[in-house]
Amino acid sequence: MEPRVHPSTTAVTAGRPPRIPDNPVNTPIVPASTFHAEGPTEYAREGNPTAAAFEEALGALEHGHATVFSSGMAAANAILDLIPIGSTVIAPTNTYTGVAVRLKELAERSAINLILIPAPDTQAILAALPQADFLWLESPTNPMLDEADIQKCLAAAQTHKVISVVDNTFATPVTQRPLTMGADMVLHSVTKILSGHSDLLMGAVIASDPQRSEQIRIRRILLGAMPSAFDCFLALRGLRTLYLRYEKSESNARVIVSKLLGDSRVSRVRYPGWGTIAAIEVEGDADLVCKSTNIWTYATSLGGVESLLERRRRWSLESETVPENLIRLSLGIEHPDDLWTDLDSALNKA
Ligand SMILES: *Cc1c(COP(=O)(O)O)cnc(C)c1O
């Protein structure tokens, strides 16, 4: 860890091999399922050198101990696996689809007692915390862009000894570092903004306590949720440009949102005022908007260098609380004028 430099420097310098003559500047991909015995890795389900390099870099950025997984959902399931049977869990009414479905499944089989509260309703979260065991936060939420007061919620969770996790996929450490506000764990879909090129699936859990991090690592080994060395290499390469990409995507988001506000073709714009993701509710045919663009790509997921848009309710598992006409916008790094011209003409067609 390099506490004295700026985080954008850490994103470039952390997780490199030692500076020894002729050592490679990047950690090489090692295609091996097993390693000579009595070293730190031993078997590829337990880790690989590129994963360790990525974990070092992400851990430095989030101020904790990182463990990578084969997807964001694999990382989420490792956390859910550690919640004792019978626990009372508070979660946002609108949380990431896969997590929402898993929480509901656990509640239906009486493994947990689930309390759903809208993320922005801080008072209700604070009121429920004294009776709770676990707090699941996501801010801003996917795809509604609801913001939680994570600072207040995490402080109260600490007071009541409630274990907490923050899904930080949308904010990334560029904008918020929940472990420094008292969160026990941070969850990432590395698939999205952190890797940034829509070319891999990966997840991560970052814990402040090394013992909790070790429990998470054991979950990964037992669930068999290790990402490949190649994916770890791509993710680390993507992470090197996180700050550059985020800055450009966020400035694009601000340009597009400012044009959409007050546009009569759009009934609502959801944007926290920062970040790279927005959502709009359109007056016309939302599917037709998605199918009418040439620069924006009609595809699911988010956080890549290419701008994506998608009507979320086309997924049968998406929550009914998400409006039918809601389109999620993921801003890439193209020129904002081209993005606007393209979206403007798609809105006209619909
Ligand atoms: C995509 C996403 C996930 C799940 O991650 P995968 O890598 O798709 O498994 C979890 N949380 C949020 C907020 C997401 O956007």
Side-chain angles (χ1 to χ4, degrees):
M1 277 222 224
E2 296 155 325
R4 287 175 182 281
V5 301
H6 296 84
S8 54
T9 301
T10 302
V12 175
T13 58
R16 299 273 185 188
R19 298 182 172 205
I20 298 166
D22 256 2
N23 232 18
V25 166
N26 296 303
T27 303
I29 299 167
V30 180
S33 62
T34 192
F35 297 79
H36 290 284
E38 298 187 7
T41 309
E42 299 258 6
Y43 187 52
R45 183 150 47 74
E46 312 217 341
N48 67 63
T50 359
F54 181 86
E55 287 169 344
E56 191 184 320
L58 183 57
L61 290 174
E62 286 285 13
H63 291 231
H65 307 274
T67 307
V68 291
F69 285 83
S70 50
S71 70
M73 276 311 296
N77 280 311
I79 295 170
L80 293 174
D81 224 30
L82 288 177
I83 300 178
I85 302 287
S87 295
T88 294
V89 178
I90 302 172
T93 311
N94 288 297
T95 187
Y96 174 70
T97 328
V99 170
V101 170
R102 286 290 295 130
L103 285 168
K104 224 172 84 189
E105 283 176 359
L106 291 171
E108 275 163 8
R109 65 173 80 138
S110 305
I112 60 166
N113 168 33
L114 182 60
I115 305 174
L116 295 176
I117 302 174
D121 193 347
T122 311
Q123 286 318 312
I125 296 171
L126 297 188
L129 275 171
Q131 289 79 46
D133 304 295
F134 197 95
L135 174 64
W136 192 290
L137 290 173
E138 180 184 326
S139 185
T141 60
N142 181 1
M144 299 282 263
L145 279 309
D146 285 337
E147 263 190 291
D149 187 337
I150 61 169
Q151 189 112 35
K152 267 203 188 124
C153 294
L154 291 172
Q158 274 189 314
T159 304
H160 297 288
K161 302 205 165 15
V162 173
I163 306 294
S164 58
V165 62
V166 178
D167 186 333
N168 209 25
T169 299
F170 273 32
T172 80
V174 176
T175 310
Q176 72 192 12
R177 294 158 177 237
L179 296 185
T180 67
M181 302 178 205
D184 292 298
M185 286 170 280
V186 161
L187 168 68
H188 274 290
S189 170
V190 178
T191 312
K192 314 288 172 54
I193 304 170
L194 293 186
S195 65
H197 295 75
S198 308
D199 53 5
L200 60 94
L201 281 179
M202 217 167 111
V205 179
I206 307 96
S208 47
D209 173 24
Q211 266 177 313
R212 180 166 286 112
S213 175
E214 190 50 31
Q215 289 177 328
I216 290 287
R217 188 170 293 267
I218 291 167
R219 282 302 96 195
R220 178 181 75 191
I221 296 168
L222 296 177
L223 294 169
M226 185 68 205
S228 77
F230 182 61
D231 285 349
C232 294
F233 178 88
L234 289 177
L236 184 52
R237 175 153 135 154
L239 192 71
R240 299 301 184 205
T241 56
L242 170 66
Y243 282 76
L244 271 182
R245 288 184 287 103
Y246 193 98
E247 211 172 277
K248 176 65 178 168
S249 293
E250 182 176 62
S251 104
N252 278 350
R254 290 201 170 116
V255 171
I256 299 300
V257 163
S258 73
K259 298 212 185 261
L260 289 165
L261 286 169
D263 190 312
S264 62
R265 298 165 298 179
V266 173
S267 53
R268 181 160 180 188
V269 181
R270 294 169 182 268
Y271 185 63
W274 54 274
T276 69
I277 318 292
I280 52 174
E281 292 166 32
V282 298
E283 291 289 344
D285 181 339
D287 286 315
L288 191 55
V289 174
C290 296
K291 287 172 189 165
S292 301
T293 55
N294 296 312
I295 292 168
W296 292 78
T297 303
Y298 170 34
T300 196
S301 198
L302 56 98
V305 290
E306 64 292 305
S307 294
L308 302 180
L309 82 176
E310 174 191 32
R311 187 178 75 85
R312 280 303 297 175
R313 283 294 296 283
R314 72 194 181 90
W315 296 96
S316 61
L317 285 179
E318 185 59 278
S319 166
E320 284 174 15
T321 52
V322 174
E324 282 284 357
N325 61 344
L326 181 140
I327 298 175
R328 186 180 61 203
L329 304 175
S330 170
L331 275 298
I333 61 169
E334 306 91 338
H335 197 287
D337 293 351
D338 297 330
L339 289 175
W340 174 246
T341 306
D342 191 36
L343 187 60
D344 183 41
S345 96
L347 286 167
N348 278 340
K349 279 181 198 143

